[in-house]
Amino acid sequence: MLHWKKIVPIVLTFCLVLSLTTTANARTALTFGTMDAGTSTYAAGAALAAVWNNHLPEYTVTQQPMQVTGPAFRLLKVDELDLAITTVWAIHGAYTGEDPFWDTWNLEGVAPVPIQQICTGNDMRYGFFTTDPTIKTIKDLEGKKVYITQPGAESDIQVKALLEAGGADYSKITDVSFSSIAEVQQGLKEGRAVAVYWTASTWIQDVATNKPMYTVEISNEEVAKLNELLPGWGFVPEKMEEGEFGLTTGGDTLAVPFGLYVREGLDEEIVYNLTKTMYENHDEVVQLNPQYLTDWSLDRALISIGAPIHPGAIRYYREAGVWTDEINAQNEVLLSTQRRE
């Protein structure tokens, strides 16, 4: 028979091993939705997840490629997704349940989605681009054939509000409907229309190899007016450079920032730690992907708010000295916003 003096050390050793094993297995698992590989949100998400996993051993953040609008919002609704990246206007649409998102994403019975925002990051630029050098302003689009309506896309609401902000009469523009950007590319080359409102990317280069492409000026004042017409959509002023994507002229345009959002019920301490870690290790984040992660900086964290900021993030922003009275007022407006049921 073992003497109790021999048994006690064995029991203590077993308890210690059990404790260490339990602690190691007690990491909080977090699911992180981004778009598929090859997209900017995938690249941003991969870098952020790597830094969180490196500096927060109590968490395991697993990136899950998916459609970060409709499907992601459904998963957040039932606590099967913890955080994700999408545009600020999508965050706002899910939070409020407003049109056109209700129908576009089939959110009946889902919206309003219980989400809160953490921050903003890099931009997705939009603009009017034209093959007609006489079109220099939004007002100049009157009397022209312009690709405006893409059936089922929320950008239809955006572009028509932008025309109003620029003082253009939509009824005086020939609205050429389109189903894909490939159709727009071919149509601009062939002259079926002379301008389009779309994201600024490599599709422009394809047209510019056939005929010159010009940027239509969207002034900062027009961007401000657009934000009044579509509050919560989060537009910010941006620029296109001459030569970029083969453009013959550059100029002022607009952009929509991407935002990081979480399910409303995610623990405050978790969100505080995620927020603090991403900003206090920003240099490391940028090294992992300078193209997209440079703009995920503290000075851009609150440039656009589509849903109320999570209390855990607010706690860090107060500590960092970037939570201003103006931001607080914007947040309070969102908290009191009438949401569709």
Side-chain angles (χ1 to χ4, degrees):
M1 178 179 291
L2 290 172
H3 191 272
W4 67 271
K5 288 185 178 180
K6 294 182 178 180
I7 294 175
V8 169
I10 295 172
V11 171
L12 290 175
T13 300
F14 174 78
C15 290
L16 177 60
V17 171
L18 180 62
S19 174
L20 292 172
T21 302
T22 301
T23 300
N25 292 332
R27 295 166 66 100
T28 299
L30 300 171
T31 51
F32 183 17
T34 69
M35 292 293 282
D36 292 334
T39 64
S40 62
T41 70
Y42 182 92
L48 290 172
V51 169
W52 285 329
N53 287 324
N54 185 37
H55 292 275
L56 295 170
E58 64 270 36
Y59 307 134
T60 300
V61 181
T62 302
Q63 186 176 6
Q64 294 189 356
M66 63 177 65
Q67 174 53 253
V68 289
T69 50
F73 296 144
R74 284 175 171 76
L75 292 173
L76 278 148
K77 182 88 171 185
V78 294
D79 293 347
E80 291 184 7
L81 186 67
D82 296 303
L83 65 160
I85 298 175
T86 191
T87 56
V88 169
W89 79 48
I91 293 171
H92 182 72
Y95 173 73
T96 62
E98 68 178 24
D99 290 326
F101 309 106
W102 183 272
D103 298 317
T104 301
W105 300 329
N106 298 314
L107 290 180
E108 186 172 358
V110 178
V113 183
I115 58 176
Q116 294 177 316
Q117 192 171 325
I118 290 183
C119 64
T120 45
N122 62 302
D123 292 336
M124 179 164 62
R125 287 178 298 172
Y126 280 79
F128 279 109
F129 302 99
T130 182
T131 56
D132 184 344
T134 68
I135 300 175
K136 300 183 184 300
T137 68
I138 292 174
K139 180 72 173 174
D140 293 337
L141 293 165
E142 291 182 351
K144 308 292 186 179
K145 292 180 180 180
V146 183
Y147 285 110
I148 293 177
T149 298
Q150 184 186 26
E154 65 273 10
S155 56
D156 291 354
I157 301 292
Q158 176 188 154
V159 67
K160 289 167 186 174
L162 180 56
L163 290 171
E164 181 180 345
D169 186 341
Y170 171 69
S171 68
K172 295 180 180 179
I173 298 171
T174 301
D175 183 348
V176 184
S177 179
F178 66 100
S179 60
S180 69
I181 192 61
E183 181 182 345
V184 169
Q185 289 170 279
Q186 193 61 31
L188 289 174
K189 292 175 185 177
E190 296 175 359
R192 293 197 296 271
V194 296
V196 64
Y197 180 77
W198 198 251
T199 57
S201 60
T202 53
W203 71 267
I204 299 172
Q205 182 71 57
D206 175 71
V207 180
T209 59
N210 182 272
K211 56 174 61 177
M213 285 286 283
Y214 307 90
T215 302
V216 178
E217 188 83 6
I218 301 175
S219 70
N220 293 356
E221 292 74 21
E222 288 165 341
V223 175
K225 178 63 175 177
L226 180 61
N227 279 320
E228 292 176 8
L229 295 170
L230 296 175
W233 284 53
F235 303 103
V236 296
E238 255 292 0
K239 286 185 177 294
M240 297 301 304
E241 300 297 332
E242 180 182 332
E244 191 174 6
F245 302 121
L247 285 164
T248 299
T249 62
D252 289 336
T253 190
L254 59 78
V256 177
F258 287 100
L260 183 62
Y261 66 99
V262 299
R263 58 182 176 84
E264 197 172 81
L266 193 59
D267 183 76
E268 180 177 327
E269 190 68 17
I270 291 175
V271 176
Y272 169 80
N273 287 330
L274 292 175
T275 308
K276 180 177 181 177
T277 299
M278 68 183 287
Y279 289 124
E280 296 195 352
N281 296 280
H282 180 63
D283 290 347
E284 182 179 336
V285 172
V286 171
Q287 286 177 4
L288 292 173
N289 195 307
Q291 180 181 1
Y292 295 120
L293 274 300
T294 299
D295 286 341
W296 288 82
S297 57
L298 185 58
D299 62 338
R300 289 177 51 87
L302 298 166
I303 61 172
S304 186
I305 302 176
I309 303 298
H310 192 285
I314 292 175
R315 179 178 149 200
Y316 174 72
Y317 293 140
R318 289 189 188 280
E319 290 179 3
V322 298
W323 187 259
T324 64
D325 290 341
E326 181 182 356
I327 295 297
N328 190 69
Q330 293 178 37
N331 202 56
E332 290 297 321
V333 168
L334 285 165
L335 287 168
S336 62
T337 294
Q338 183 68 37
R339 303 168 70 190
R340 186 171 184 173
E341 296 293 345

